[in-house]
Amino acid sequence: MTQGIPKAGSFTLPRFNGRRGKRAWDRHTWLYVAVIIAVVLGASIGLIWPEFAVALEPIGKGFVSLIKMMIAPIIFCTIVVGVGSIAKAATVGKIGGMALLYFMIMTTFALAIGLVVGNIIHPGEGLNMTNSTYDADTSEAKTTQEFILGIIPTTFFSAFTGESVLQVLFIALLVGFALQKMGKKGEPIMFAVKNLQALVFRILGMILWLAPLGAFGAIAAVVGKTGFAAILSLGVLMIAFYITCALFIVGILGTLLYVVARVNLFSLMKYLGREYLLIVGTSSSESALPRLIAKMEHLGVSKPVVGITVPTGYSFNLDGTAIYLTMASLFIAAGMGMPMSIPEQIGLLLFMVIASKGAAGVTGAGLATLAGGLQAYRPDLVDGVGVIVGIDRFMSEGRAVTNFTGNAVATVLIGTWVKEFDAARARHVLAGDLPFDESSLTGTDHDGMSDAPDAVGVAGLEEAAIAEDERLEGRKARAGAH
């Protein structure tokens, strides 16, 4: 196995470009700094001039309304595309099937951990985030039968004009599976949905530039109503979230990695040190994806396993995001004085398992998923998302680092289970005997991808890996026939 990024006849793995990456980093850094300033300014006004601060609440509500506006198209596009990714990964057989099963189990586990910790520490208690804009009318289901029947929309398109996110989810699943059954005929429609998804996320990106304004209004109003206790509650949530992520990484992922592959988690994290610096600098695990692929190859995991597991994991293995979603939901419920019941928490967990797929690496997608989950099960809590916007940026590094570590560990585990992992080579690499060749990571494209004619982007990497795997299997079959 050669060092650096191996190439095959059908595709080239993407490569990281530091120079172009820094320009993107600068743009998001300005937004990051603006949100921090807005939070500090909003909290200060809330403490010094509470009456005026409370009057700023409509600013935060306006931003939340813009996020709510995007929920239906985001859920529809990500689920339809996500179902396609599942179908493609499953066609690879053992590798894809095992990866998908592992991702679903670990994401569910992470969501459950977030709920458990949230129920123990009760973040948000003592806050005054309530407002009188919600009217709990008869549109909410009162029985299980009404709830189930309410998932079915009146017409195909009425799901997109109503307020039921579950109806959008239902239609998206039907469309996704129908497109898979259509085969080649469904490809133009899937291509159109992917383009629509790009448009939707571009609009979401535009809306997120108003995040400093939304965070300013929401934080000012909450601090104005509650006082210094609001700042303490937000701090407790952030600290609890980071502690939970650390315990998940060391306690769960670290133990699993050592038991299955006999690899020390801290050695693996040291090996991926530069990638962690890149993630902290950009607040996104997506920025390190090309480097993770190259380094997992260098570590000793086979090309088909890396090519399928890593891109799929970036859409389906979001452990940090899962912990964040459940803890933030409980924080909002407690802060608005309307805690969620256990059945509601379980329903929310199931929704998040499905709805959080397919939107990885897109700034603001987690915020939209959070709003979507609350809209589906507790629409009276959606306005509380405005407060989360203020601290969302502070928790983004924790989410990104946890997601990245989860995918790195998953790649080694899947490789071990399918016997496509060179443990002896891994020991030499982690010991520093086989250093990674940084000079092999070049490229000139805006997202750090290779500009080679046969290269594919992140979105096409999984398909290319599957095609490569099928090509190799076909060659083996023909060789066996002779």
Side-chain angles (χ1 to χ4, degrees), residues 280-296:
V280 172
T282 60
S283 296
S284 171
S285 57
E286 191 85 353
S287 59
L289 185 146
R291 293 182 62 95
L292 177 62
I293 290 172
K295 282 202 164 182
M296 287 295 102

Side-chain angles (χ1 to χ4, degrees), residues 60 70 105 134 173 290 320 348 351 376 464:
M70 303 303 298
I105 292 173
Y134 177 73
L173 288 170
L348 182 70
F351 176 89

Side-chain angles (χ1 to χ4, degrees), residues 69-99:
M69 175 183 75
M70 303 303 298
I71 290 174
I74 286 172
I75 294 296
F76 176 77
C77 292
T78 53
I79 294 301
V80 171
V81 175
V83 168
S85 297
I86 290 176
K88 286 186 176 68
T91 61
V92 186
K94 196 172 183 180
I95 297 172
M98 188 172 292

Side-chain angles (χ1 to χ4, degrees), residues 24 97 144 150 201 208 218 223 261 284 287 289 302 319 325 330 350 439 451:
T144 303
F201 281 133
L208 286 172
V223 176
S284 171
S287 59
L289 185 146
S302 72
D319 301 327
L325 288 173
L330 294 180
L350 295 175
S439 65
D451 58 350

Side-chain angles (χ1 to χ4, degrees), residues 190-326:
M190 180 64 80
F191 180 73
V193 173
K194 287 182 178 180
N195 283 333
L196 176 61
Q197 184 185 40
L199 172 65
V200 167
F201 281 133
R202 179 59 61 90
I203 296 172
L204 179 63
M206 294 162 61
I207 291 173
L208 286 172
W209 279 101
L210 297 175
L213 202 60
F216 169 72
I219 294 291
V222 171
V223 176
K225 291 178 182 178
T226 313
F228 191 70
I231 300 173
L232 286 177
S233 292
L234 291 171
V236 167
L237 175 63
M238 286 190 290
I239 293 170
F241 170 72
Y242 273 97
I243 291 174
T244 305
C245 286
L247 290 175
F248 180 81
I249 290 173
V250 177
I252 307 300
L253 296 179
T255 302
L256 200 56
L257 182 65
Y258 186 78
V259 170
V260 174
R262 285 293 185 269
V263 173
N264 183 281
L265 176 68
F266 296 106
S267 297
L268 180 63
M269 293 179 74
K270 181 182 177 183
Y271 171 64
L272 298 171
R274 292 197 179 192
E275 287 66 48
Y276 283 113
L277 288 175
L278 181 64
I279 290 168
V280 172
T282 60
S283 296
S284 171
S285 57
E286 191 85 353
S287 59
L289 185 146
R291 293 182 62 95
L292 177 62
I293 290 172
K295 282 202 164 182
M296 287 295 102
E297 275 276 340
H298 179 72
L299 184 66
V301 185
S302 72
K303 182 177 181 180
V305 172
V306 174
I308 294 165
T309 305
V310 174
T312 307
Y314 263 71
S315 292
F316 297 99
N317 189 36
L318 308 174
D319 301 327
T321 303
I323 295 171
Y324 161 78
L325 288 173
T326 45

Side-chain angles (χ1 to χ4, degrees), residues 293-432:
I293 290 172
K295 282 202 164 182
M296 287 295 102
E297 275 276 340
H298 179 72
L299 184 66
V301 185
S302 72
K303 182 177 181 180
V305 172
V306 174
I308 294 165
T309 305
V310 174
T312 307
Y314 263 71
S315 292
F316 297 99
N317 189 36
L318 308 174
D319 301 327
T321 303
I323 295 171
Y324 161 78
L325 288 173
T326 45
M327 291 186 71
S329 299
L330 294 180
F331 173 84
I332 292 171
M336 298 187 75
M338 293 171 280
M340 301 179 76
S341 65
I342 297 300
E344 285 173 335
Q345 291 182 31
I346 294 173
L348 182 70
L349 185 149
L350 295 175
F351 176 89
M352 295 298 189
V353 167
I354 300 172
S356 62
K357 309 306 181 188
V362 181
T363 305
L367 205 61
T369 303
L370 173 63
L374 294 176
Q375 182 74 29
Y377 287 92
R378 289 288 299 275
D380 50 329
L381 300 178
V382 179
D383 286 335
V385 173
V387 177
I388 290 295
V389 171
I391 60 171
D392 178 77
R393 289 276 167 177
F394 295 103
M395 296 193 286
S396 60
E397 284 88 356
R399 290 200 305 268
V401 167
T402 306
N403 290 342
F404 179 81
T405 306
N407 287 318
V409 170
T411 306
V412 176
L413 293 178
I414 301 300
T416 303
W417 283 326
V418 298
K419 295 180 173 55
E420 294 284 340
F421 174 58
D422 188 342
R425 177 184 174 87
R427 283 193 293 272
H428 286 296
V429 171
L430 295 178

Side-chain angles (χ1 to χ4, degrees), residues 4-85:
I5 302 178
K7 294 184 178 181
S10 61
F11 71 100
T12 302
L13 293 177
R15 304 173 178 181
F16 176 72
N17 171 20
R19 289 176 298 171
R20 296 301 295 267
K22 287 182 180 177
R23 283 216 285 269
W25 185 88
D26 288 341
R27 187 174 68 250
H28 292 294
T29 301
W30 278 113
L31 181 60
Y32 185 96
V33 171
V35 170
I36 293 175
I37 294 172
V39 169
V40 173
L41 194 60
S44 301
I45 291 178
L47 291 172
I48 299 169
W49 199 355
E51 295 83 6
F52 174 71
V54 172
L56 296 173
E57 190 173 37
I59 299 176
K61 287 183 179 178
F63 178 75
V64 173
S65 295
L66 289 172
I67 294 290
K68 287 168 65 176
M69 175 183 75
M70 303 303 298
I71 290 174
I74 286 172
I75 294 296
F76 176 77
C77 292
T78 53
I79 294 301
V80 171
V81 175
V83 168
S85 297

